[in-house]
């Protein structure tokens, strides 16, 4: 008996649901959804083109800058070769700067250099190297007040 009632109820509700269905309206809504999706995809493609163009321009400018920095050594070289030359130059420059800094530390830690640093700052080179960032900022402000900037 319950099955019969359930079957009758399902038939009634199912018929009402189908009575409201409009295939033309459904097709029109589907076409609108597809058109909106195509428009969104077109916007995304256009945005990607703009991003790609900006990246290409930035890469060209970077390569031009590297070529200008390296000068005549880059004439007739590929971008990969220019990158290798530039990286080698940067590595050499960094090594040179580190070597000079070490030599300066060594020279300052001996004799008059160390005394001059201690006289100006009130701290030894070792104390300066071991300072926290906050202490270094405070010393910097103090020296600016004392000696001007």
């Amino acid at each position: 008996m319950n099955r019969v009632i359930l079957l009758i109820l399902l038939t009634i509700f199912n018929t009402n649901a189908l009575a409201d269905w409009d295939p033309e309206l459904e097709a029109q809504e589907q076409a609108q959804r597809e058109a909106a999706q195509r428009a969104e995809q077109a916007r995304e493609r256009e945005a990607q083109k703009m991003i790609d163009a900006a990246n290409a321009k930035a890469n060209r400018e970077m390569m031009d800058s590297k070529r200008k920095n390296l000068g005549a050594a880059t004439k007739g070289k590929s971008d990969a070769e220019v990158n290798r030359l530039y990286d080698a130059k940067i590595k050499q420059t960094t090594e040179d700067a580190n070597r000079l800094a070490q030599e300066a530390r060594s020279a300052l830690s001996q004799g008059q250099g160390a005394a001059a640093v201690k006289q100006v700052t009130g701290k030894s080179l070792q104390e300066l190297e071991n300072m926290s960032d906050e202490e270094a900022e405070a010393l910097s402000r103090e020296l600016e007040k004392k000696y001007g900037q």
Side-chain angles (χ1 to χ4, degrees):
M1 179 82 161
N2 286 338
R3 289 184 182 166
V4 173
I5 294 173
L6 181 61
L7 185 59
I8 292 171
L9 287 174
L10 286 175
T11 305
I12 292 171
F13 288 118
N14 193 18
T15 312
N16 288 336
L18 290 175
D20 290 342
W21 185 64
D22 183 358
E24 290 177 15
L25 180 62
E26 184 66 29
Q28 184 181 17
E29 289 175 351
Q30 180 64 27
Q32 289 174 345
R33 285 191 297 270
E34 289 172 358
Q37 186 179 22
R38 283 191 302 273
E40 179 64 25
Q41 289 171 346
R43 282 191 296 275
E44 288 175 3
R45 281 192 303 273
E46 187 63 31
Q48 189 61 47
K49 283 181 186 177
M50 292 173 68
I51 290 169
D52 292 344
N55 286 337
K57 182 180 178 187
N59 287 339
R60 276 193 312 275
E61 289 174 356
M62 178 65 72
M63 288 307 299
D64 290 346
S65 174
K66 287 179 180 181
R67 288 179 187 279
K68 183 178 177 183
N69 185 295
L70 293 171
T74 61
K75 190 165 185 102
K77 304 277 185 185
S78 70
D79 288 349
E81 291 172 314
V82 170
N83 282 330
R84 280 193 295 276
L85 290 171
Y86 188 79
D87 290 344
K89 181 178 181 180
I90 294 299
K91 181 180 177 186
Q92 185 60 45
T93 302
T94 303
E95 289 172 356
D96 291 347
N98 288 339
R99 182 183 45 78
L100 288 173
Q102 184 61 36
E103 289 174 5
R105 274 192 215 101
S106 176
L108 284 175
S109 66
Q110 302 168 3
Q112 294 179 346
V117 169
K118 184 152 186 140
Q119 183 181 5
V120 171
T121 63
K123 305 217 181 270
S124 70
L125 288 175
Q126 180 131 9
E127 291 171 323
L128 290 173
E129 288 180 355
N130 294 331
M131 273 186 184
S132 69
D133 290 340
E134 294 82 20
E135 292 171 328
E137 286 293 323
L139 179 62
S140 175
R141 285 191 298 274
E142 178 185 321
L143 292 174
E144 284 179 13
K145 286 179 187 175
K146 190 174 181 180
Y147 295 105
Q149 172 65 339

